[in-house]
Amino acid sequence: MYSFTNDYSEGAHPRILEALMETNLTQHTGYGMDEEHCGHARELIRREIGRPDASVHFLVGGTQANLTVIAAALKPWEAVICASTGHINVHETGAVEATGHKVLTLPDPDGKVTPAMVLEILDSHPDEHMVKPKMVYISNTTEIGTQYTKAELEALSHLCRQRGLYLFLDGARLGAALASSANDLTLADIAALTDVFYIGGTKNGALFGEAVVILNPQIDQDFRYMIKQRGGMLAKGWLLGIQFETLFTDGLFYEMAGHSSRLADRLRAGLEERGFSFYSRSVSNQLFPIFSDELIEKLSADFSFNIQARIDDSHQAIRLVTSWATREEAVDALLKALD
Amino acid sequence: MYSFTNDYSEGAHPRILEALMETNLTQHTGYGMDEEHCGHARELIRREIGRPDASVHFLVGGTQANLTVIAAALKPWEAVICASTGHINVHETGAVEATGHKVLTLPDPDGKVTPAMVLEILDSHPDEHMVKPKMVYISNTTEIGTQYTKAELEALSHLCRQRGLYLFLDGARLGAALASSANDLTLADIAALTDVFYIGGTKNGALFGEAVVILNPQIDQDFRYMIKQRGGMLAKGWLLGIQFETLFTDGLFYEMAGHSSRLADRLRAGLEERGFSFYSRSVSNQLFPIFSDELIEKLSADFSFNIQARIDDSHQAIRLVTSWATREEAVDALLKALD
Amino acid sequence: MYSFTNDYSEGAHPRILEALMETNLTQHTGYGMDEEHCGHARELIRREIGRPDASVHFLVGGTQANLTVIAAALKPWEAVICASTGHINVHETGAVEATGHKVLTLPDPDGKVTPAMVLEILDSHPDEHMVKPKMVYISNTTEIGTQYTKAELEALSHLCRQRGLYLFLDGARLGAALASSANDLTLADIAALTDVFYIGGTKNGALFGEAVVILNPQIDQDFRYMIKQRGGMLAKGWLLGIQFETLFTDGLFYEMAGHSSRLADRLRAGLEERGFSFYSRSVSNQLFPIFSDELIEKLSADFSFNIQARIDDSHQAIRLVTSWATREEAVDALLKALD
Amino acid sequence: MYSFTNDYSEGAHPRILEALMETNLTQHTGYGMDEEHCGHARELIRREIGRPDASVHFLVGGTQANLTVIAAALKPWEAVICASTGHINVHETGAVEATGHKVLTLPDPDGKVTPAMVLEILDSHPDEHMVKPKMVYISNTTEIGTQYTKAELEALSHLCRQRGLYLFLDGARLGAALASSANDLTLADIAALTDVFYIGGTKNGALFGEAVVILNPQIDQDFRYMIKQRGGMLAKGWLLGIQFETLFTDGLFYEMAGHSSRLADRLRAGLEERGFSFYSRSVSNQLFPIFSDELIEKLSADFSFNIQARIDDSHQAIRLVTSWATREEAVDALLKALD
């Protein structure tokens, strides 16, 4: 049984574990305040994005990062706009609403927020009888494997700045986005175009960890208070520092995402060759082929994966995810099983 | 200038003011604990709905009633289902989310929640990565003037009981619903089919006040703590008791709603005779005729009303609301102005 | 049976009811947006406090005012300092905590917050592992009938401004404070020394209503969103406007508080003459004489009042409250009953 | 420079890191749903406490565990009682209040909650104008190193059951408590006497992790929804399973706590021999000797530690913490430095 269920089914890249071993018995300052690793990792990230003024905070997971950032940025009556498929809207058990904020959505055929959607929501929220939209939340890659082009991100960013909205990019799968053959964005671009974003470690070869990068000082004010209050301040914070230090040394972050992307391309090509159609136009490491129920049952004997949606009486879209740890032979075996 | 903007543009029925005058210098127990008026009003309502076991609480306003009931009923991870046009979803500045709960919606062509919508939402919320739908919120009449038939309410109620969902009916305009010529529901039916509902005073001739009727003891547990905590416990609570006492004495509640309904029927008939079409199939005291921009501008000289939606380049739907206080001559003058 | 239980046992001053009667069938703009009454009342209050720039909002009740102001002013990790007997700490069912904020207290022998208490709390909250104190909440008069001198309020205000704390004065019983023979403060002083305060109507002869006066624009930003979200926006908002208009016309507010104060002075003098001691050094309309259990039982036959605290095995402190409506004969009868 | 600042200055016991290495490339089911490690660790803990019915959940940190348990257990108007020095009251940046609940405290000379304190709080919260106390939160060991005897815990537990209060034991330092020479409690006792408690890994040799053990099914209902909503559901949940599996294999948990305890005893004895007095009667791995400012300055050249409190003009209490990783030579060096 081989799993294509997600990109976080294995532990971490061996270099990360080695780094943890090497430093294991060294005494460190807690709570992310150590210079050796957290400080160094912050420095590496600031350099990577070309923004020495950026504030970088390390959190354990994505839902935690989302709720902490959003609750820190918004006033009680302010709301966040996202795609109806957005992670915060669907897959976080109402974590944002639990901090008191409404999530405003419009249908999104391909998982992305467009300027037109933002404008439509702004127009329908004119006064104090409704919430006040104040932030746009996007994910790159999106929940259905699509991603933003530089032009799309620029357009959104321009609108947000014009209308006084924060732009927040959930980068749980930012590695996958940057490594995709369809990508034309850099981390520096993202830093230039957003108010806050994060770089996902969990889904790209760390044991856990998301590096929240805050470019807008208004959001950064007292941000550590918010981390602590929401239970996100790791006592042994240097464990996060060490992981991001390793990810951003010798390009390991890109190397792992590149592996994942290459295997996704191989899998996509194999699926296309065999004439399968797809649920979404994914260009990244999540693929959503449409299979017959019969084929799905047969595949399930040797491979595990999630069901995304039922398409018709006899077909469903499944989700296949590659990762830094996916073995080439597993991809080949899966394709072979389709013949 | 005559206003058709809403059904709460005037004070209260003179009998209510008289009752307030008569009792003004009498000392009362506060916080809704007086037997003379709050106790009596509770008794009148219990008799009206045929439910001696019902718990009745008097609150000042509708948003307050909605947020207090929903926050009392739901656990932190539970969500409430409503129509996308639902008052709690659009017009309460995120009051429900501010108590920590997600509002789940689906598009609703005529302002109502259907069993099919509820089932679709239940099916898409299978596990702990998503919120748990636990309550269905409906309004009667709805935001766009439509209303539930007895068969529709029975079907929803049946589904809710089968699936363990609370059914909550916002009755801010329940008078209008009960007095509509299309209505086949009684207060007793509503009490039998829901877990909690309220009877709106503000929009039917009281100065203010909503009588929350709780049929399900689980929701009633410690409910007064919740009222107090959310700022809804009126110090001089007997002011609410006196108003509901008056409303449910000699049928004043129905009399006022009946007046409003008759004038709405007269207005609707006049609009139909003149060939105007409508934005919604309203059968109650809110009408949404579609007028040309030109006509709207002309009308605005003598009448005030709200714009509901733009229909095309040269037409908009407006909202005309009748009330217990609407003058017959004003309706006639409006119709005449259309000629 | 005559009640000294509180200062909100009767309805409203007849002039308020008359004003409601006169305007009852006039159509008004809702939600506090009418110029005729809300606008006029705002103007009267601004003139009274000598601050044309003040923002004035009318809310129905005190808990609602407290939670709305505090939740509007504070960021999620910020806390409010108050006396341990403070209304928000004890008698609001955790309303402030329900908005997410910690209430920080220190013991207070006479119901007041002192600069020393504020400094002690600031000193013990140095970093992000603790909440950040950001507001000082005081009541005038306090819960135990004491009140702030001008010098005391100036000292607190000075410290708050020096340390970047908001100063919020709960004036549910501000009338009582201003009318007390011990008072040396004016409304204008209070406006000059605080960031936000409110003028209580409920406990000084209105049916209901608190006028929140915001001097600091940071707290006022989008404040109407907050009112609406917390269920505090009265549909027929002009009812509040009319009441405050009447209160601040021809000095009715002061006249009623003056009556209450004179009867409290008469009662205090009578108690002192008879040699009773007191639980607190109240100088206002709440008196806390210490009576034997036997005397309390005897008095209870003809008078109602609250028990404040047990003093020893055979004595308790009770609370006697006078109001705008208290009858002189009732005070005399009570004193006579003590002989 | 050697740090006695806390018991989480190093990584993890080598056996934990080895276990992580061995399983690193194995694919696992996420979110704590894997049988291999999380399932096994749950089984080991259930056996250890003799409660096959216990529900065990693994969370990353203590503040997260506290806020998740408390918010899951309490209704909005319910409050939690704790010592005024309690971690949730002081050191979690208002995390409990941020979930909407008041923390009720009374002064506690030795960091513990007593039945008398609970009774006093219950007595002063009689009705809906105040919060409803519903849970007692204690820590073992406490924040100042003291711990509960079996008799004390039984008395608290008895009172809680009699009065319908949940008893929640924060065991961030439960290892230290169980290993203390003053201890007469077992994990089985604690499971028998509380409704919910947790076993701290972070402060006893894990990289991170707290095992929340829920004995009362009311608190366990839908608990995973709450974990997810509050950002506490670790994607690679087996990392927690592996750590607790290792801790509860061959007694490693007790072995590490025992080491820490022995070195604390040695340090305490050395301090007592040298005639130093203490800020608290700690019997565990946190010691609070009172030193002169001069001595503190001198020690700071070679050792790091926290300041607990100023005692007088020339003395302060410092906190010295031993851990599973503390080196015997470091203790000796510290003692020597005192001579």
Side-chain angles (χ1 to χ4, degrees):
Chain A
M1 177 70 69
Y2 194 84
S3 172
F4 286 96
T5 304
N6 56 46
D7 32 18
Y8 46 94
S9 291
E10 290 89 359
H13 192 280
R15 270 156 50 197
I16 284 178
L17 281 192
E18 280 156 28
L20 293 175
M21 292 291 264
E22 275 164 27
T23 57
N24 188 46
L25 293 181
T26 311
Q27 294 190 315
H28 291 98
T29 302
Y31 303 117
M33 301 295 275
D34 64 292
E35 275 313 305
E36 304 92 309
H37 304 293
C38 286
H40 184 216
R42 281 187 189 100
E43 202 40 49
L44 290 174
I45 289 173
R46 287 193 193 105
R47 224 177 290 158
E48 186 76 26
I49 63 174
R51 283 287 294 265
D53 63 320
S55 177
V56 182
H57 304 270
F58 301 110
L59 295 178
V60 167
T63 297
Q64 199 177 80
N66 287 334
L67 77 87
T68 305
V69 166
I70 293 171
L74 300 186
K75 294 190 178 124
W77 54 90
E78 292 175 343
V80 55
I81 295 170
C82 84
S84 61
T85 49
H87 205 263
I88 57 169
N89 190 44
V90 182
H91 284 101
E92 302 190 353
T93 318
V96 170
E97 288 87 355
T99 70
H101 300 284
K102 193 173 188 67
V103 178
L104 295 166
T105 66
L106 278 179
D108 58 283
D110 64 355
K112 295 190 237 178
V113 175
T114 63
M117 284 165 60
V118 174
L119 282 170
E120 185 176 340
I121 287 176
L122 288 176
D123 284 351
S124 62
H125 289 80
D127 65 33
E128 71 262 26
H129 293 266
M130 281 148 260
V131 291
K132 188 173 192 173
K134 181 66 185 173
M135 176 180 262
V136 172
Y137 162 97
I138 60 176
S139 320
N140 202 29
T141 65
T142 71
E143 292 305 302
I144 53 172
T146 56
Q147 63 192 70
Y148 288 82
T149 63
K150 188 169 176 181
E152 286 171 340
L153 192 62
E154 282 172 343
L156 257 186
S157 177
H158 180 73
L159 176 63
C160 286
R161 284 172 190 181
Q162 198 180 34
R163 300 295 291 259
L165 304 174
Y166 297 125
L167 181 55
F168 172 28
L169 186 147
D170 169 341
R173 287 200 174 92
L174 192 48
L178 296 175
S180 154
S181 50
N183 177 61
D184 64 350
L185 281 164
T186 64
L187 276 181
D189 292 334
I190 290 168
L193 295 170
T194 66
D195 293 277
V196 50
F197 71 99
Y198 61 92
I199 304 170
T202 306
K203 294 176 179 170
N204 192 26
L207 286 175
F208 53 85
E210 316 293 310
V212 176
V213 182
I214 305 182
L215 293 320
N216 185 326
Q218 277 185 282
I219 299 176
D220 196 48
Q221 196 200 350
D222 288 337
F223 194 74
R224 282 179 57 82
Y225 282 83
M226 200 68 190
I227 296 176
K228 175 72 184 179
Q229 185 184 74
R230 304 300 157 144
M233 193 171 281
L234 191 65
K236 302 185 183 178
W238 66 86
L239 300 175
L240 288 160
I242 287 170
Q243 294 188 74
F244 277 94
E245 215 179 356
T246 310
L247 288 174
F248 284 93
T249 296
D250 298 335
L252 180 60
F253 181 78
Y254 298 105
E255 180 188 322
M256 290 196 285
H259 173 88
S260 170
S261 177
R262 273 189 307 278
L263 291 194
D265 286 349
R266 185 185 187 104
L267 185 54
R268 190 186 304 103
L271 289 161
E272 284 170 348
E273 273 168 28
R274 282 160 182 81
F276 291 107
S277 62
F278 293 87
Y279 172 76
S280 86
R281 289 174 297 173
S282 168
V283 289
S284 64
N285 73 324
Q286 299 182 83
L287 299 173
F288 301 86
I290 296 170
F291 289 165
S292 69
D293 292 350
E294 202 182 357
L295 177 54
I296 290 170
E297 201 189 332
K298 183 169 157 280
L299 279 181
S300 301
D302 296 314
F303 301 95
S304 68
F305 45 79
N306 283 335
I307 300 293
Q308 177 77 7
R310 175 156 289 284
I311 301 302
D312 62 31
D313 275 6
S314 57
H315 292 79
Q316 296 177 81
I318 67 164
R319 186 179 77 152
L320 299 173
V321 191
T322 62
S323 83
W324 65 279
T326 302
R327 283 187 284 119
E328 198 162 333
E329 314 89 78
V331 171
D332 293 342
L334 178 69
L335 288 173
K336 205 173 150 195
L338 295 175
D339 293 328
Chain B
M1 176 71 69
Y2 194 83
S3 172
F4 287 96
T5 303
N6 56 47
D7 31 19
Y8 46 94
S9 291
E10 290 88 1
H13 193 279
R15 269 153 57 194
I16 284 178
L17 281 193
E18 282 155 26
L20 293 175
M21 292 291 265
E22 276 164 27
T23 55
N24 187 46
L25 292 181
T26 312
Q27 293 190 316
H28 291 98
T29 302
Y31 304 117
M33 300 296 274
D34 64 294
E35 274 314 303
E36 304 91 309
H37 304 293
C38 287
H40 184 217
R42 282 189 188 98
E43 201 40 48
L44 291 173
I45 289 173
R46 287 194 192 103
R47 225 178 289 159
E48 186 77 24
I49 63 173
R51 284 289 294 266
D53 62 320
S55 177
V56 183
H57 304 270
F58 302 110
L59 295 179
V60 167
T63 297
Q64 199 177 79
N66 287 333
L67 78 86
T68 306
V69 166
I70 293 170
L74 301 186
K75 294 186 180 131
W77 54 89
E78 292 176 342
V80 55
I81 296 170
C82 84
S84 62
T85 50
H87 205 263
I88 57 169
N89 190 45
V90 182
H91 285 100
E92 302 189 353
T93 319
V96 171
E97 289 86 356
T99 71
H101 301 284
K102 191 172 189 70
V103 178
L104 294 166
T105 66
L106 278 179
D108 58 282
D110 64 356
K112 294 191 237 178
V113 175
T114 63
M117 282 165 60
V118 175
L119 282 171
E120 185 176 340
I121 287 175
L122 288 176
D123 284 352
S124 62
H125 289 81
D127 65 32
E128 72 261 26
H129 293 267
M130 281 148 257
V131 291
K132 189 174 193 173
K134 180 67 186 171
M135 176 179 263
V136 172
Y137 162 97
I138 60 175
S139 320
N140 202 30
T141 65
T142 70
E143 292 305 302
I144 53 172
T146 57
Q147 63 191 69
Y148 288 82
T149 64
K150 189 169 177 183
E152 286 172 341
L153 192 62
E154 282 172 343
L156 256 187
S157 178
H158 180 73
L159 176 63
C160 286
R161 282 168 192 184
Q162 199 181 33
R163 301 296 292 261
L165 304 174
Y166 298 125
L167 182 55
F168 172 28
L169 186 147
D170 169 340
R173 288 200 173 92
L174 192 47
L178 295 174
S180 155
S181 49
N183 178 59
D184 64 351
L185 280 164
T186 64
L187 276 181
D189 292 334
I190 289 167
L193 295 170
T194 66
D195 293 277
V196 51
F197 72 100
Y198 62 92
I199 304 171
T202 306
K203 294 176 180 171
N204 192 26
L207 286 176
F208 54 85
E210 316 292 310
V212 176
V213 182
I214 305 183
L215 293 319
N216 186 325
Q218 276 185 283
I219 298 176
D220 196 48
Q221 196 199 348
D222 288 337
F223 194 74
R224 282 179 57 82
Y225 282 82
M226 201 67 189
I227 295 176
K228 175 73 184 179
Q229 185 183 73
R230 303 300 157 146
M233 193 170 282
L234 191 65
K236 303 184 181 177
W238 66 86
L239 300 175
L240 288 160
I242 288 170
Q243 295 188 76
F244 277 93
E245 217 179 357
T246 309
L247 288 174
F248 284 94
T249 295
D250 298 334
L252 180 60
F253 181 77
Y254 298 106
E255 181 188 320
M256 289 196 285
H259 174 87
S260 169
S261 177
R262 273 190 306 279
L263 291 194
D265 287 348
R266 185 186 188 103
L267 185 53
R268 190 185 304 103
L271 289 161
E272 284 170 349
E273 274 168 31
R274 282 160 183 81
F276 291 106
S277 61
F278 293 86
Y279 173 74
S280 86
R281 290 173 298 173
S282 169
V283 288
S284 64
N285 73 324
Q286 298 181 82
L287 299 172
F288 301 86
I290 295 170
F291 289 165
S292 69
D293 293 350
E294 204 182 356
L295 177 54
I296 291 170
E297 202 188 332
K298 182 170 158 280
L299 281 179
S300 301
D302 295 314
F303 302 95
S304 69
F305 44 81
N306 283 334
I307 300 294
Q308 178 76 7
R310 176 155 287 284
I311 301 302
D312 62 32
D313 274 7
S314 58
H315 292 80
Q316 296 177 81
I318 68 163
R319 185 178 79 152
L320 299 173
V321 191
T322 62
S323 83
W324 65 277
T326 303
R327 285 188 282 120
E328 199 162 330
E329 315 88 80
V331 171
D332 293 342
L334 178 68
L335 288 173
K336 204 170 152 199
L338 296 175
D339 294 329
Chain C
M1 178 71 69
Y2 194 84
S3 172
F4 287 96
T5 304
N6 55 46
D7 32 19
Y8 46 94
S9 291
E10 290 89 0
H13 193 279
R15 271 160 46 200
I16 285 177
L17 281 192
E18 281 156 28
L20 293 175
M21 291 291 264
E22 275 164 29
T23 55
N24 188 45
L25 293 181
T26 312
Q27 293 190 315
H28 290 98
T29 302
Y31 304 116
M33 301 294 275
D34 65 292
E35 274 312 305
E36 304 91 311
H37 304 293
C38 286
H40 184 217
R42 281 187 189 100
E43 201 40 48
L44 291 174
I45 289 172
R46 286 194 193 104
R47 225 177 291 158
E48 187 76 26
I49 63 174
R51 283 287 295 264
D53 62 320
S55 177
V56 182
H57 304 269
F58 302 109
L59 294 178
V60 167
T63 297
Q64 200 177 79
N66 287 333
L67 77 86
T68 305
V69 166
I70 293 171
L74 301 187
K75 292 186 181 130
W77 53 91
E78 292 175 343
V80 55
I81 296 171
C82 84
S84 62
T85 51
H87 205 262
I88 57 169
N89 191 44
V90 182
H91 285 100
E92 301 190 354
T93 318
V96 170
E97 288 86 356
T99 70
H101 300 284
K102 192 172 187 71
V103 178
L104 295 167
T105 67
L106 278 179
D108 57 283
D110 64 355
K112 294 191 238 177
V113 175
T114 63
M117 283 166 60
V118 174
L119 282 170
E120 185 177 341
I121 287 175
L122 287 177
D123 284 352
S124 60
H125 289 80
D127 65 33
E128 72 261 27
H129 294 267
M130 281 148 258
V131 292
K132 189 173 192 171
K134 180 67 186 171
M135 176 181 262
V136 172
Y137 161 98
I138 60 175
S139 319
N140 201 30
T141 65
T142 71
E143 292 305 301
I144 54 173
T146 55
Q147 62 191 69
Y148 289 83
T149 64
K150 189 169 176 182
E152 286 171 340
L153 192 61
E154 282 172 342
L156 257 186
S157 177
H158 180 73
L159 176 62
C160 287
R161 284 172 188 179
Q162 199 179 34
R163 301 294 292 259
L165 304 173
Y166 298 125
L167 181 55
F168 171 29
L169 185 145
D170 169 341
R173 286 201 174 92
L174 191 47
L178 296 175
S180 155
S181 50
N183 177 59
D184 63 352
L185 281 163
T186 64
L187 277 182
D189 292 334
I190 289 168
L193 294 170
T194 65
D195 294 277
V196 50
F197 71 100
Y198 61 93
I199 303 170
T202 305
K203 295 177 180 170
N204 193 26
L207 287 176
F208 54 86
E210 315 293 309
V212 175
V213 182
I214 306 182
L215 292 321
N216 186 325
Q218 277 185 282
I219 298 176
D220 196 48
Q221 195 200 351
D222 288 337
F223 194 73
R224 282 179 58 83
Y225 282 83
M226 201 67 190
I227 295 176
K228 173 74 184 177
Q229 184 183 74
R230 303 300 156 146
M233 193 171 283
L234 191 65
K236 303 185 183 178
W238 65 87
L239 301 175
L240 289 160
I242 288 169
Q243 295 187 74
F244 276 94
E245 215 179 358
T246 311
L247 289 175
F248 283 95
T249 296
D250 297 335
L252 180 60
F253 181 79
Y254 298 105
E255 180 189 321
M256 291 196 283
H259 174 87
S260 170
S261 178
R262 274 189 305 279
L263 291 194
D265 287 349
R266 186 184 186 103
L267 186 52
R268 190 186 304 103
L271 289 162
E272 283 170 349
E273 275 168 28
R274 284 161 181 80
F276 292 105
S277 62
F278 294 85
Y279 173 75
S280 85
R281 291 173 296 173
S282 169
V283 288
S284 64
N285 74 325
Q286 300 181 82
L287 299 172
F288 301 86
I290 295 170
F291 289 164
S292 70
D293 294 348
E294 203 182 357
L295 178 54
I296 290 170
E297 202 189 331
K298 181 168 159 282
L299 280 181
S300 301
D302 296 313
F303 301 95
S304 68
F305 44 80
N306 283 334
I307 301 293
Q308 178 77 8
R310 176 155 287 286
I311 301 302
D312 63 30
D313 275 4
S314 58
H315 291 80
Q316 296 177 81
I318 68 164
R319 186 179 77 153
L320 299 172
V321 191
T322 61
S323 82
W324 64 279
T326 302
R327 284 188 285 119
E328 197 162 331
E329 314 89 81
V331 170
D332 293 342
L334 178 69
L335 288 173
K336 204 171 152 196
L338 295 175
D339 291 329
Chain D
M1 175 72 68
Y2 194 84
S3 172
F4 287 96
T5 303
N6 56 46
D7 31 18
Y8 45 93
S9 291
E10 290 89 0
H13 193 279
R15 274 166 35 207
I16 285 177
L17 280 192
E18 281 155 26
L20 292 175
M21 292 290 266
E22 275 164 26
T23 56
N24 188 46
L25 293 180
T26 311
Q27 292 189 316
H28 290 98
T29 302
Y31 303 117
M33 300 295 274
D34 66 293
E35 274 313 304
E36 304 91 310
H37 304 293
C38 286
H40 184 216
R42 283 188 188 99
E43 201 39 48
L44 291 173
I45 288 173
R46 287 194 192 103
R47 225 177 289 159
E48 186 77 23
I49 64 174
R51 283 289 294 268
D53 63 319
S55 176
V56 182
H57 304 270
F58 301 109
L59 294 179
V60 168
T63 297
Q64 199 178 78
N66 287 334
L67 77 88
T68 305
V69 166
I70 292 170
L74 300 186
K75 294 189 179 125
W77 53 89
E78 292 176 343
V80 55
I81 296 170
C82 84
S84 62
T85 49
H87 205 263
I88 57 169
N89 191 45
V90 182
H91 284 101
E92 302 190 354
T93 319
V96 170
E97 289 85 356
T99 71
H101 300 285
K102 191 172 188 70
V103 178
L104 295 166
T105 66
L106 278 179
D108 57 283
D110 64 356
K112 294 191 238 179
V113 175
T114 64
M117 283 165 60
V118 174
L119 283 170
E120 185 176 340
I121 287 176
L122 288 177
D123 284 352
S124 62
H125 289 80
D127 65 34
E128 73 261 26
H129 293 267
M130 282 148 256
V131 292
K132 189 174 193 172
K134 180 67 187 170
M135 176 179 262
V136 172
Y137 161 96
I138 59 175
S139 320
N140 203 28
T141 65
T142 70
E143 292 305 303
I144 54 172
T146 57
Q147 63 191 71
Y148 288 83
T149 64
K150 189 170 177 182
E152 287 171 340
L153 192 61
E154 282 171 344
L156 256 188
S157 178
H158 179 73
L159 176 63
C160 286
R161 282 169 192 183
Q162 199 179 35
R163 301 296 291 261
L165 303 174
Y166 298 124
L167 182 55
F168 171 29
L169 185 147
D170 169 340
R173 286 200 173 92
L174 191 47
L178 297 175
S180 154
S181 49
N183 177 59
D184 64 351
L185 280 163
T186 64
L187 276 182
D189 292 333
I190 289 168
L193 295 170
T194 65
D195 293 276
V196 50
F197 71 101
Y198 60 91
I199 303 170
T202 305
K203 294 176 179 171
N204 192 26
L207 285 177
F208 54 85
E210 316 293 310
V212 176
V213 182
I214 306 181
L215 292 320
N216 185 326
Q218 277 185 281
I219 298 176
D220 196 48
Q221 197 200 348
D222 288 337
F223 193 74
R224 282 178 58 81
Y225 281 83
M226 201 68 190
I227 296 176
K228 175 72 184 181
Q229 184 182 75
R230 303 301 156 145
M233 193 170 281
L234 190 65
K236 303 184 182 179
W238 66 86
L239 300 176
L240 288 159
I242 287 169
Q243 294 188 75
F244 277 94
E245 214 180 0
T246 309
L247 288 174
F248 284 95
T249 296
D250 299 334
L252 181 60
F253 181 78
Y254 297 105
E255 180 188 321
M256 289 196 286
H259 173 87
S260 169
S261 178
R262 273 189 306 280
L263 291 194
D265 286 349
R266 185 186 188 103
L267 186 54
R268 190 186 304 103
L271 289 161
E272 284 170 349
E273 273 168 30
R274 283 161 183 81
F276 292 107
S277 62
F278 294 86
Y279 172 75
S280 87
R281 291 173 297 172
S282 169
V283 288
S284 63
N285 74 324
Q286 298 181 82
L287 299 172
F288 301 86
I290 296 170
F291 289 164
S292 69
D293 293 349
E294 202 183 357
L295 178 54
I296 290 170
E297 201 189 334
K298 182 170 156 280
L299 279 181
S300 300
D302 296 313
F303 302 94
S304 67
F305 44 80
N306 283 334
I307 300 293
Q308 178 76 9
R310 175 155 290 282
I311 301 302
D312 63 30
D313 274 6
S314 57
H315 291 81
Q316 296 177 81
I318 66 164
R319 185 178 78 152
L320 300 172
V321 192
T322 61
S323 83
W324 65 279
T326 302
R327 284 187 285 118
E328 199 162 331
E329 314 88 83
V331 171
D332 292 343
L334 178 69
L335 288 173
K336 205 170 151 198
L338 296 175
D339 292 329

